[in-house]
Amino acid sequence: LNPAIKHSQTLKKMGFMSCKKLTSSGIIRILEWSGANLTSLDLSYLDVTFSKPLPFTLIHLEELDLSNCNSMTDNSVVNMLNVVGEKLFKFNISNTEIGLDCTEMSGLKVRFPSLLQLSVLFNVTIREHDLFSFLNRVGASLKRLDTMGSNLDRCYLQRRKT
């Protein structure tokens, strides 16, 4: 095993925020080599999609940031979450087109009983029904839900007024 790759297997945190030249296949290759022990992964502001099931696992991942990944789809999220272990406690899909659509999320094979924080700030695609269906599916017991600027924020405000 190449010493650089061997050393990278001890990494706990990776951040690729705004790495404009990094492709989906590049991320996949890096995570295949170095993702086994990651606890935190920041892919924010990347133009990546994961249209096929991923060939690695991230069973120790606790934090996943996909904010501002404008090319991400619900299917991409399913493929990404299916390789994440049950330790995930912080998930950020703020300012994306990710809607957590019930139909797409039916492909989700894992549960996240440790999920405590979900951020969907400025996500105008997500609907209240899809969010609650997602949370039920993954078994989350949220302590914090950030919704400012999303459709959820408006739904909540409308309900409070009545």
Side-chain angles (χ1 to χ4, degrees):
L1 197 58
N2 179 318
I5 294 171
K6 190 173 186 179
H7 177 69
S8 70
Q9 292 175 340
T10 62
L11 288 173
K12 297 289 183 191
K13 295 183 178 192
M14 276 191 193
F16 298 105
M17 181 180 166
S18 297
C19 293
K20 300 293 182 194
K21 294 188 179 193
L22 195 54
T23 64
S24 300
S25 60
I27 291 281
I28 290 169
R29 194 168 310 137
I30 290 168
L31 293 175
E32 280 181 302
W33 292 334
S34 312
N37 294 308
L38 284 182
T39 59
S40 178
L41 180 60
D42 183 349
L43 300 177
S44 59
Y45 292 92
L46 293 185
D47 187 21
V48 295
T49 61
F50 303 112
S51 56
K52 298 177 185 170
L54 300 171
F56 53 82
T57 58
L58 302 170
I59 60 170
H60 300 288
L61 202 65
E62 298 172 352
E63 299 178 28
L64 178 59
D65 189 344
L66 302 176
S67 63
N68 296 285
C69 289
N70 295 322
S71 298
M72 280 278 188
T73 64
D74 286 337
N75 183 55
S76 298
V77 170
V78 167
N79 287 331
M80 187 68 183
L81 290 178
N82 276 337
V83 299
V84 173
E86 292 186 352
K87 295 180 181 182
L88 187 70
F89 75 84
K90 186 176 180 183
F91 184 39
N92 187 349
I93 55 170
S94 297
N95 203 27
T96 65
E97 297 293 318
I98 299 166
L100 301 176
D101 180 81
C102 292
T103 306
E104 292 287 337
M105 292 297 127
S106 66
L108 203 54
K109 298 178 177 107
V110 293
R111 295 184 58 76
F112 303 110
S114 301
L115 187 63
L116 298 176
Q117 183 175 342
L118 177 64
S119 296
V120 292
L121 300 168
F122 300 101
N123 183 324
V124 295
T125 308
I126 198 166
R127 298 177 315 207
E128 190 173 10
H129 169 75
D130 291 329
L131 173 69
F132 291 125
S133 177
F134 171 78
L135 294 175
N136 285 331
R137 177 177 297 282
V138 300
S141 53
L142 288 183
K143 300 264 188 240
R144 181 174 176 170
L145 175 62
D146 298 322
T147 63
M148 187 178 80
S150 71
N151 287 342
L152 299 172
D153 200 30
R154 280 174 273 210
C155 291
Y156 176 72
L157 291 173
Q158 288 172 357
R159 276 196 323 225
R160 273 186 74 195
K161 288 179 184 177
T162 58

